[in-house]
Amino acid sequence: MNLKQPSQLPLSFGQTELFSFEHFVAGGNAEIIKRLLFCAAGSEPETLFLWGRPGAGKSHLLQALCTASAENERASVYLPLAENRKFTPQLLEGLEALSIVCLDDVDRIAGDEYWEHAVFNLFNRVREEHHTLVLSARAAPKSIRFSLADLASRMNWGLIYQLQDLDDAGKLEVLQQKARARRFELPEEVGNYLIRRLPRDMHALCQFLDRLDQASLVAKRKLTIPFVKEIMTQ
């Protein structure tokens, strides 16, 4: 393992853009980003728990922390526990040696005895090494039904932050940013139309943006509201 690079699992996430703090639209989450930047720079070891609705940006922030950590030559790892069926709890062994450990979607292992014990033991080892552990979930730790009482207790240690949803202006900024990363332009009126007509969470909006990108390439047409209406009815 190259300790100067963020350790990323060789799993297929279907993602191509760079996850960085610069590419994250903060909205009401500026304090969370400030705290994560402190972690990346090597401040005092922390235990942080981020929670919020799907599409709030939890995965982006954890991967951005790994990116920033690498820039500061600090070893880190990002593990998406929503993908836990693709690997075993043994993968957690030895991770406490890294400066920063990020466990995404920790609520996905609730009720799994083996995974809960593995995460509990890793939690303790990271603290013993005086390193930083950052966790994320779709709900506050007190609302997650862990079978292991000691793990449920650990989840309430440290700082707990709720990610705030973006307003419509913030969502438009994210969509236009992602469009530019894919080398096409999303006109403001088209972006606002998508926000008004589609489910308002960012996952749904970004998935439809990917669909529009492919459809416009095939049809060789620019993104306009009439074109978007055609795609919506297909």
Side-chain angles (χ1 to χ4, degrees):
M1 180 181 297
N2 182 348
L3 297 186
K4 292 188 178 181
Q5 295 297 328
S7 178
Q8 297 282 348
L9 284 180
L11 301 177
S12 176
F13 303 126
Q15 299 166 339
T16 57
E17 63 262 44
L18 174 65
F19 290 95
S20 67
F21 292 117
E22 291 77 11
H23 289 83
F24 187 81
V25 178
N29 300 305
E31 177 60 30
I32 298 175
I33 295 175
K34 181 179 179 181
R35 178 63 60 176
L36 293 174
L37 284 169
F38 283 153
C39 292
S43 64
E44 291 297 316
E46 302 253 24
T47 300
L48 304 179
F49 192 107
L50 311 183
W51 68 277
R53 295 194 302 179
K58 302 181 296 295
S59 299
H60 186 129
L61 286 177
L62 265 60
Q63 293 181 76
L65 174 56
C66 288
T67 299
S69 298
E71 293 170 353
N72 286 289
E73 298 189 343
R74 304 189 72 225
S76 63
V77 64
Y78 167 82
L79 291 176
L81 293 184
E83 305 276 357
N84 70 80
R85 294 186 181 277
K86 295 183 179 180
F87 45 93
T88 66
Q90 283 70 36
L91 191 64
L92 303 185
E93 296 177 3
L95 296 185
E96 67 277 2
L98 304 178
S99 298
I100 298 175
V101 177
C102 298
L103 301 183
D104 200 3
D105 292 312
V106 71
D107 52 314
R108 299 296 186 93
I109 56 100
D112 187 312
E113 178 183 356
Y114 295 105
W115 270 105
E116 286 196 16
H117 277 89
V119 170
F120 172 74
N121 290 330
L122 175 62
F123 194 111
N124 292 336
R125 297 196 306 269
V126 170
R127 288 182 63 86
E128 288 172 1
E129 294 292 333
H130 302 289
H131 288 161
T132 292
L133 178 65
V134 183
L135 309 138
S136 86
R138 296 167 294 178
K142 65 181 180 181
S143 301
I144 303 173
R145 296 183 177 180
F146 291 108
S147 301
L148 184 60
D150 285 340
L151 177 60
S153 175
R154 293 292 191 280
M155 291 294 165
N156 286 283
W157 290 8
L159 298 175
I160 300 172
Y161 290 101
Q162 180 183 6
L163 269 74
Q164 303 301 313
D165 290 337
L166 293 172
D167 59 16
D168 286 354
K171 291 175 182 177
L172 176 61
E173 185 177 348
V174 171
L175 291 175
Q176 290 183 317
Q177 184 182 92
K178 288 185 177 293
R180 288 192 295 271
R182 291 165 171 77
R183 300 183 182 278
F184 70 95
E185 291 298 321
L186 178 68
E188 182 175 339
E189 64 273 14
V190 175
N192 285 326
Y193 182 83
L194 296 177
I195 292 169
R196 291 195 302 269
R197 296 304 179 95
L198 294 172
R200 303 183 71 80
D201 70 271
M202 289 308 304
H203 278 324
L205 288 167
C206 291
Q207 286 175 357
F208 193 78
L209 186 69
D210 289 339
R211 183 179 167 190
L212 281 178
D213 182 21
Q214 294 298 318
S216 65
L217 287 173
V218 171
K220 296 181 179 180
R221 293 174 59 181
K222 293 182 178 181
L223 292 186
T224 61
I225 291 178
F227 180 65
V228 170
K229 289 181 177 178
E230 290 180 24
I231 303 302
M232 284 182 171
T233 58
Q234 292 178 3

